[in-house]
Every structure is written in structure tokens, then in C-alpha cells.
Amino acid sequence: MPKTHHCAETQTPVDGAVAAPTQPSVVVVGGANMDIIAQTPGAPLAGDSTPGAIGCSPGGVGRNIAENLARLGLPTALLTVLADDTFGHAVLADAAQCGIDTSGCLVLAGGRSPSYLAVHGAQGELALAVNDMDLLDALTPAYLQSQWARVQQAAFAVLDCNLAAPTIDWLLTRSPSIHWCVDAVSVAKCHKLRQHLHRIHTLKLNALEAQALSGLPVDSIAQARAAALALCAAGVGQVVLSLGAQGAVWAQGRDAGACAARPTAVVNTAGAGDAMLAGLVYAQLQAWPLPQALPWAMACAELTLGSASATYKDLSVQRVREMLS
């Protein structure tokens, strides 16, 4: 059996973030990895070497959400698993620099830290990606039980569907009083939520994920509203359905609405959805209604679309306010 230890990092706040709290406002349970992103000036050439630029930075849905929350000034703790290797050390050091509480992270001796390799075309669109996330299966209920007090003390808890199905089952059934905000992540992974929709406070997903969970087509704003309302009827408290350049749809109970997207120069699509969910969580803590919360969350996403990395390093409450003014 590999040795394990909890990682305690020195917390250094950055502008727009906060030092690690004793009792975080938000706990994020999800993936953290190293992103290796290639950008090509034209269409990538299959079977050949394509000129371009390659960058490396910490990523992962859960980690990205946690960074965005910290930059918005919310005390945030991250529960994830990494290996005791170069990537793992770099991810943890960066998280601490962002003001994220990493003291509950699980670090395993042996194995590989999760990583994500992607190639993006000239317009920032994803052309090819490979993920190496097997280590995340080590984030088990047995380990999370040792961190459960953190989750219970938080005002909101976030999870992403990169987690193993048994872990998601355990988290969503452990305590009905926890306000879970969930990122569906992908069509292949969102099915893990099917039996737990009534336990989700806020669900953020895209058109393909909404179609997979609702069984309804999502090819227009009207269809997106119908799918979001169907998910609410199945028990989700609030649904936000991102439609990319078309904007987003929200639903709560029997009410639904839409918000148009602002024209945005896209540098990289990775991480925009993570920023949107972080914006929604921020809005929840301000007790804003969804019609007010959604433009804020979309502004977080739109700022991130203009970043070469999966997070916008200048994200702050003031910057979002300026975007909306």
C-alpha cells in the first residue's frame, strides 16, 4: 500500500484572494491536475508535427473552481488527491499561492499526478485531448470521512463529476443538509448524477450534458429551457445550462429564463465553465436570485475565455463589476 500524508502548505494570499481559513465558506471536492496545453495557428495536422506554442499550468475542474472562488475573495478549501511528484508539488504550491486551503489534500507516494494534455486550434477550439486521471479514484469515501467536518462546516460544497461514482454516491447521500453545487463535467461522466438529482442544490452543465441527463433535445434556447425545467422537475434545486456563444439558460422550480452572451474574443475555452460555476457559488453566498446571479457568473466565464490558461489570473470582484458596468 502506498504511504499517504495530508499536505499542509503555507498560505500566501494574492490580490483578490484570501488566506486559508479555519472554517471555509466553500469546500471543493474534485480533480486537480497539471494542464499541458498546445495552441496552433492553424488546423493541427493529423499524423504530423504542427508548429505552435505549448504551455504548462495547474488545472483540473475542482482546482480551477477553487482558484476562482479564492480570487473572488471567498475562503475556500480544496479536497483532492495528487502524487508525491513534480506535478503534484507544483499544483499544491500554486494553490497555496492563490489562497486555497490545501491542508486536506491527499498526497500519495508513488503513481502519477493527474495530467491533461490538449491541443487547441487557432480560435481556441479543442482539437484533441488526453487525460490521465486514474489517481483521482484514490479520493475515496474512507479518506473523505476524515475530512467530513470541513464539508459540514462550509456554507456550500462543490463537487465535479471527475470523481469515481462510489465517491459521488457517498458524498451526495451522506448528509441532506449540505448545499451541493455540481459541475457535470462531460456526457460520459454526468450519468453518475442520475440517481441523485434531488440532492443537488445547483447544477451547472452544457447542452450535451443536459441532453444526456434530461433525455430531451437541446438545439435551441427554447429546448434548453425545457431541458432545464425537466431537470428541476426531477429534483434539482437550480439549473444553469451554458450554451456557449448563445448565452445561458437558468431554471428554478417552474421558472426559467435566458441570458445572452457578450461578444468575447476567445483565446482558450478551457476553464470557462469552471469560472461560471465559481461565479454561481459566489452569487449564492450573496443570496442573489438566479436572474441576477447568471450575468455575474457569465462575466466570470467570459473573462476566462480571454485567458491563455484555464483561469483568469486577474479575476476579482472588482474586475467582474467592471465587466458588467
Side-chain angles (χ1 to χ4, degrees), residues 285-304:
L285 286 166
Q286 314 311 310
W288 295 344
L290 266 181
Q292 180 182 356
L294 186 52
W296 177 278
M298 290 176 65
C300 292
E302 287 157 359
L303 287 167
T304 304

Side-chain angles (χ1 to χ4, degrees), residues 248-263:
V249 163
W250 64 267
Q252 183 177 33
R254 297 183 179 180
D255 297 326
C259 183
R262 283 169 286 271

Side-chain angles (χ1 to χ4, degrees), residues 2-5 81-85 106-111 135 138:
K3 295 180 180 180
T4 67
H5 66 273
V81 59
L82 293 157
D84 186 13
D85 59 10
L106 173 63
V107 179
L108 298 175
L135 194 73

Side-chain angles (χ1 to χ4, degrees), residues 36-77:
I36 304 165
I37 308 296
Q39 183 90 36
T40 62
L45 302 175
D48 198 0
S49 177
T50 304
I54 300 173
C56 186
S57 62
V61 174
R63 195 220 65 88
N64 292 345
I65 293 169
E67 178 181 335
N68 287 313
L69 289 167
R71 292 189 183 279
L72 291 172
L74 296 178
T76 303

Side-chain angles (χ1 to χ4, degrees), residues 7-320:
C7 180
E9 298 286 335
T10 301
Q11 306 298 318
T12 305
V14 295
D15 188 26
V18 294
T22 301
Q23 294 186 355
S25 295
V26 186
V27 169
V28 180
V29 189
N33 54 259
M34 187 60 73
D35 283 345
I36 304 165
I37 308 296
Q39 183 90 36
T40 62
L45 302 175
D48 198 0
S49 177
T50 304
I54 300 173
C56 186
S57 62
V61 174
R63 195 220 65 88
N64 292 345
I65 293 169
E67 178 181 335
N68 287 313
L69 289 167
R71 292 189 183 279
L72 291 172
L74 296 178
T76 303
L78 175 64
L79 300 180
T80 194
V81 59
L82 293 157
D84 186 13
D85 59 10
T86 301
F87 279 175
H89 296 162
V91 169
L92 287 170
D94 182 83
Q97 181 66 26
C98 293
I100 301 167
D101 179 356
T102 62
S103 61
C105 292
L106 173 63
V107 179
L108 298 175
R112 301 182 305 276
S113 285
S115 58
Y116 173 77
L117 172 67
V119 178
H120 292 268
Q123 303 304 314
E125 74 281 3
L126 179 65
L128 173 68
V130 178
N131 68 78
D132 180 0
M133 306 292 184
D134 289 350
L135 194 73
L136 195 54
D137 288 347
L139 202 64
T140 62
Y143 180 74
L144 291 171
Q145 177 63 51
S146 71
Q147 302 296 314
W148 194 244
R150 292 171 176 269
V151 179
Q152 288 185 307
Q153 291 166 1
F156 281 89
V158 177
L159 70 82
D160 74 58
C161 286
N162 284 309
L163 300 173
T167 300
I168 290 177
D169 293 342
W170 186 84
L171 287 169
L172 292 179
T173 58
R174 183 73 172 80
S175 175
S177 64
I178 294 172
H179 293 143
W180 284 107
C181 299
V182 180
D183 192 306
V185 175
S186 71
V187 172
K189 296 176 180 179
C190 69
H191 69 87
K192 302 171 189 176
L193 303 173
R194 196 174 301 280
Q195 303 304 315
H196 303 296
L197 295 177
H198 61 292
R199 297 187 173 97
I200 298 173
H201 181 280
T202 301
L203 176 62
K204 193 279 296 178
L205 69 177
N206 65 22
L208 292 176
E209 294 153 4
Q211 185 168 295
L213 280 176
S214 70
L216 299 174
V218 183
D219 297 317
S220 66
I221 295 288
Q223 289 180 340
R225 282 178 175 163
L229 286 168
L231 290 170
C232 286
V236 180
Q238 300 179 153
V239 174
V240 169
L241 200 169
S242 173
L243 297 170
Q246 296 182 70
V249 163
W250 64 267
Q252 183 177 33
R254 297 183 179 180
D255 297 326
C259 183
R262 283 169 286 271
T264 303
V266 177
V267 174
N268 178 15
T269 58
D274 307 335
M276 174 178 276
L277 183 52
L280 289 170
V281 174
Y282 179 91
Q284 302 286 339
L285 286 166
Q286 314 311 310
W288 295 344
L290 266 181
Q292 180 182 356
L294 186 52
W296 177 278
M298 290 176 65
C300 292
E302 287 157 359
L303 287 167
T304 304
L305 286 170
S307 172
S309 65
T311 53
Y312 177 58
K313 302 306 180 183
D314 292 325
L315 183 68
S316 66
V317 170
Q318 182 59 34
R319 185 68 187 88
V320 179

